[in-house]
Amino acid sequence: DNYTLTESASGSYVYMGFFPQFAYSTSQPSGTTAGSSNVHTNPSTTTTTYTNSSTGEKYELYNGTYYKYTPILWKIGSTSTTYSNSYYLLISEYIIGDSLFASGNGSSYTIYHNNLLKTYINETIYSMAFTTTTQQNALKGVTDTSDSYAQLSGDKLFALSRSDVLNGSYGFSTTNLNSSDTRKKFVTPFANAIGCWWGTSYTAKSVNGATTYPGNWWLRTPYFSSNVYIVYSAGGIYSDDPDFSNPGAVPACTIAL
């Protein structure tokens, strides 16, 4: 029960882990009680988890709306050649969370493993989405020291690198054009509510009955000494300041299938 496989015209996918994504109600769901709080670092937004102990269903409260925990949809790349040859790279199909890359500007703020985005993806999203030992053990910790500014050290969830999103084996265009549907990602209503920008001038997409729009999302690779690469809403790769407020978080992981 760690994951559920599915197919579509655009590739193979896995449903795995649960995260608040879509609005459920403005009234507290029946049978739920408040539990832990979670901090989303853009720069600091707090949400509260409500759980129905009888059914196990969970909801996240933010600004008067309860967002239901639903399965995360991950697109399957080919067997990973960047991280571990025996595992598959999974990439969240949507922008599900919101965080600054770092709390300031300058070269020290472009080092992924020292800053907010890594902590948010590998700790906050991970702890919210994967709550049992069986689920957690399904994710294979990743170490990557090929770039000292973007290295991973046993991370279960992580942001993609610039080279990842130019890798055809992972389903991406190998050319960085101004736009690419292979890199365009839509923002969940929850991520938008907690601060992630979405572009309402783009064509909307209905996901689980909710209207969503494309947004910007962080990569973990620095651009020279002061900026970080970002995939913009049309799917092109650009760069901006580490404390740029509108990009969201797209987690990736590796598992054995």
Side-chain angles (χ1 to χ4, degrees):
D1 296 328
N2 292 334
Y3 52 78
T4 301
L5 296 172
T6 186
E7 299 281 340
S8 80
S10 59
S12 299
Y13 295 83
V14 165
Y15 282 106
M16 183 178 69
F18 290 80
F19 200 74
Q21 297 178 79
F22 306 101
Y24 178 80
S25 175
T26 55
S27 300
Q28 182 175 339
S30 177
T32 61
T33 55
S36 61
S37 295
N38 299 290
V39 177
H40 310 268
T41 46
N42 184 17
S44 182
T45 300
T46 301
T47 62
T48 304
T49 305
Y50 282 71
T51 304
N52 185 317
S53 59
S54 298
T55 65
E57 292 182 332
K58 291 169 51 177
Y59 307 83
E60 200 74 8
L61 174 63
Y62 178 68
N63 197 27
T65 298
Y66 294 82
Y67 295 84
K68 188 173 183 178
Y69 279 66
T70 53
I72 303 170
L73 182 64
W74 309 80
K75 188 167 186 178
I76 305 173
S78 64
T79 301
S80 172
T81 56
T82 302
Y83 301 110
S84 175
N85 289 334
S86 59
Y87 303 129
Y88 285 83
L89 178 68
L90 305 185
I91 304 159
S92 175
E93 180 69 357
Y94 303 113
I95 301 170
I96 65 171
D98 191 47
S99 174
L100 302 177
F101 187 95
S103 58
N105 285 296
S107 59
S108 65
Y109 292 102
T110 66
I111 303 173
Y112 176 71
H113 56 277
N114 285 351
N115 282 297
L116 295 174
L117 184 66
K118 173 192 169 85
T119 302
Y120 180 66
I121 290 177
N122 193 48
E123 295 182 17
T124 303
I125 292 181
Y126 173 70
S127 64
M128 291 174 67
F130 300 96
T131 57
T132 69
T133 300
T134 302
Q135 291 173 337
Q136 293 166 357
N137 288 343
L139 305 183
K140 308 302 179 183
V142 171
T143 297
D144 178 18
T145 58
S146 59
D147 183 337
S148 61
Y149 277 73
Q151 66 185 351
L152 304 173
S153 52
D155 298 46
K156 291 292 189 80
L157 294 181
F158 51 90
L160 294 176
S161 68
R162 182 178 184 274
S163 62
D164 289 337
V165 298
L166 290 168
N167 188 332
S169 296
Y170 299 157
F172 296 112
S173 169
T174 58
T175 305
N176 182 25
L177 302 174
N178 290 336
S179 62
S180 172
D181 286 344
T182 67
R183 287 186 288 268
K184 181 189 291 185
K185 289 191 177 293
F186 286 75
V187 182
T188 64
F190 175 74
N192 176 251
I194 61 174
C196 181
W197 173 87
W198 61 17
T200 55
S201 62
Y202 292 91
T203 300
K205 178 179 179 179
S206 178
V207 181
N208 280 16
T211 299
T212 66
Y213 296 93
N216 305 331
W217 51 285
W218 292 109
L219 301 178
R220 71 174 194 272
T221 308
Y223 176 74
F224 291 108
S225 61
S226 60
N227 284 3
V228 180
Y229 281 108
I230 295 167
V231 176
Y232 274 16
S233 49
I237 304 170
Y238 297 89
S239 66
D240 216 309
D241 295 334
D243 60 354
F244 184 33
S245 63
N246 77 24
V250 174
C253 63
T254 60
I255 66 170
L257 291 175

